Amino acid sequence: MFAKEEIDQILDSYDDFTIATICSHSALQIFHGAKQYSIKTIGICTEESRELYESFPYATPDELLIVDDYSQIPVDELRERNSILVPHGSLVEYTGDGIKDLALPIFGNRGSLLFERDRNNMFDWMEKAGLKVPRILQPEEIDGPAIVKFPGAKGGKGYLVVNSPEEYYQKVAEGAKTMIQEFIVGVRAYIHYFHSFDGDAGYSTNYGNVEMLGIDQRMETNADEIARQLSVGANIPISFTVMGNQSLVLRESLLPKYMEMGRGICNSSKGLFGGIHGPFCVETIITDDLDIYSFEISARIVAGTNLLGNPYSLYTHGTEYTTGMRIAKELKDAFRNKNLGEIIY
Ligand code: ATP
């Protein structure tokens, strides 16, 4: 792992900073947010994506660094531009384990990104945070609908639902590395939080505050269109590939539980890998009995934050506010107060 002391030295050499990310996932939101705070932006972009990222004047980065593919992060060019890299889902997928040795300041804690890559770690974290989680099953224990997940975060692509050990062995290749979870039936809610080391909104944690900025629900094919499938008599296996997101508000009586969950996630992360800084999301399902099951934490900005028009950021910041803006504000404040090192690794 690239040493934290070296990252701090790089930060010390910055007399100003730029925000950089890969042109994908939530990049438009990140660039737009930085512009609201007059921070210069750098987009790491392929030639193929250039036209798109030049076509939104209020979210086009100030400079594009063109690469052949997104696994190549132009470290030297970014350091020359005093860049802080903002990780998002695509960046984490493209860089893979390489993120641990990246000789560049990364907003947040790279330890959290590495930790959550392993689903077993993530379940351990959720349990330590006091979250209720679906049962994890061995193939022989499948006693009802169970979702079978393969390694890597692929936006739900390729997952299966099986109902018995026999069906599992029939559909899953021998030796495949899978995690089998009890399939929870209920309403899905994906909560967007932001941990700030010196914010004044939200619930206090052991090392700052956790705010709620929004909630979304992912639109997944064909799970979310199953009624249409059934209405035409099509017999296609259920799938969960994410296609987009829509905004969600929850009954207000559920909010205290979710705020406590956000606090639990932050507090438990401190002992596990040094804490979480900036945006994160917990993916949940609320059952008929109002039990909240959590099945994933993403320790970075999630694509559901690309939505505007959710009331929770309004109540937190007094105006329509994106996670991209919140990231820019946190970095700008920390730069001004000379404590970027506390929220960057
Ligand atoms: P990403 O990392 O992009 O969030 P992923 O590939 O890790 O996605 P998950 O988020 O774990 O996948 O799951 C994809 C979808 O499958 C969820 O959004 C949800 O609709 C469904 N799902 C996952 N786990 C469960 C579960 N235990 N019970 C019911 N549905 C589930």
Side-chain angles (χ1 to χ4, degrees):
M1 183 108 110
F2 198 77
K4 172 74 168 104
E5 299 70 43
E6 286 189 60
I7 293 292
D8 288 342
Q9 279 167 18
I10 296 171
L11 285 174
D12 285 344
S13 71
Y14 285 6
D15 51 9
D16 199 357
F17 74 95
T18 61
I19 283 183
T21 198
I22 282 178
C23 288
S24 180
H25 192 267
S26 44
L28 291 169
Q29 185 200 156
I30 292 167
F31 298 140
H32 174 269
K35 281 171 185 279
Q36 305 313 300
Y37 285 88
S38 308
I39 300 170
K40 282 226 147 47
T41 48
I42 316 284
I44 304 157
C45 195
T46 56
E47 196 53 59
E48 203 185 354
S49 298
R50 180 201 284 268
E51 189 175 11
L52 181 82
Y53 284 87
E54 286 179 340
S55 67
F56 294 99
Y58 293 91
T60 292
D62 295 297
E63 188 183 356
L64 289 176
L65 294 178
I66 301 298
V67 294
D68 289 338
D69 74 77
Y70 285 135
S71 60
Q72 312 163 352
I73 302 287
V75 171
D76 294 338
E77 284 149 286
L78 289 170
R79 276 181 43 183
E80 278 163 23
R81 289 160 179 76
N82 292 354
S83 294
I84 294 170
L85 197 61
V86 174
H88 54 51
S90 303
L91 190 143
V92 168
E93 260 316 277
Y94 287 121
T95 52
D97 281 341
I99 204 161
K100 78 174 187 291
D101 297 317
L102 217 53
L104 259 182
I106 297 177
F107 176 51
N109 176 359
R110 69 182 73 196
S112 68
L113 301 171
L114 290 165
F115 191 84
E116 60 132 298
R117 285 181 81 76
D118 179 327
R119 271 207 188 91
N120 292 312
N121 278 346
M122 194 199 294
F123 266 70
D124 186 33
W125 181 11
M126 292 194 287
E127 280 169 9
K128 286 201 167 70
L131 311 185
K132 188 166 190 160
V133 296
R135 278 186 303 143
I136 306 294
L137 307 167
Q138 294 305 316
E140 303 68 39
E141 294 172 327
I142 299 172
D143 53 1
I147 183 163
V148 182
K149 301 186 181 186
F150 297 90
K154 303 266 184 276
K157 196 168 171 58
Y159 294 172
L160 301 173
V161 175
V162 296
N163 283 275
S164 64
E166 296 71 34
E167 194 181 353
Y168 176 88
Y169 289 119
Q170 192 190 336
K171 293 187 172 163
V172 177
E174 204 182 323
K177 280 197 171 163
T178 60
M179 177 184 261
I180 311 168
Q181 295 173 13
E182 165 191 19
F183 189 92
I184 307 293
V185 177
V187 170
R188 289 165 303 125
Y190 304 70
I191 320 298
H192 319 149
Y193 300 96
F194 192 96
H195 188 270
S196 172
F197 78 115
D198 74 347
D200 51 14
Y203 276 24
S204 62
T205 67
N206 292 343
Y207 53 106
N209 284 69
V210 60
E211 304 168 7
M212 184 186 285
L213 291 183
I215 305 176
D216 78 284
Q217 191 170 64
R218 286 166 43 156
M219 304 297 298
E220 295 168 332
T221 182
N222 56 10
D224 292 325
E225 299 290 352
I226 217 86
R228 288 163 67 95
Q229 176 181 322
L230 294 174
S231 73
V232 296
N235 184 13
I236 303 165
I238 193 169
S239 61
F240 303 93
T241 311
V242 66
M243 293 292 152
N245 306 77
Q246 58 189 6
S247 190
L248 187 73
V249 289
L250 287 174
R251 49 195 282 181
E252 209 152 297
S253 57
L254 286 169
L255 293 183
K257 282 193 192 169
Y258 275 106
M259 292 304 288
E260 277 304 343
M261 287 165 59
R263 170 154 52 203
I265 291 169
C266 295
N267 285 346
S268 55
S269 71
K270 191 79 179 160
L272 289 171
F273 48 79
I276 195 160
H277 312 298
F280 67 98
C281 171
V282 63
E283 302 185 17
T284 67
I285 300 173
I286 311 159
T287 67
D288 208 28
D289 299 327
L290 296 181
D291 277 334
I292 300 172
Y293 284 85
S294 302
F295 59 90
E296 173 148 317
I297 301 174
S298 298
R300 40 131 183 114
I301 188 169
V302 291
T305 63
N306 289 336
L307 287 159
L308 283 174
N310 199 280
Y312 304 109
S313 66
L314 177 67
Y315 304 152
T316 304
H317 291 284
T319 179
E320 203 161 53
Y321 207 81
T322 65
T323 297
M325 289 162 73
R326 188 67 188 83
I327 292 170
K329 178 180 170 7
E330 190 79 352
L331 285 171
K332 192 149 189 161
D333 288 349
F335 182 75
R336 195 184 301 119
N337 297 329
K338 299 194 184 328
N339 41 22
L340 273 180
E342 293 197 36
I343 54 168
I344 283 176
Y345 182 31

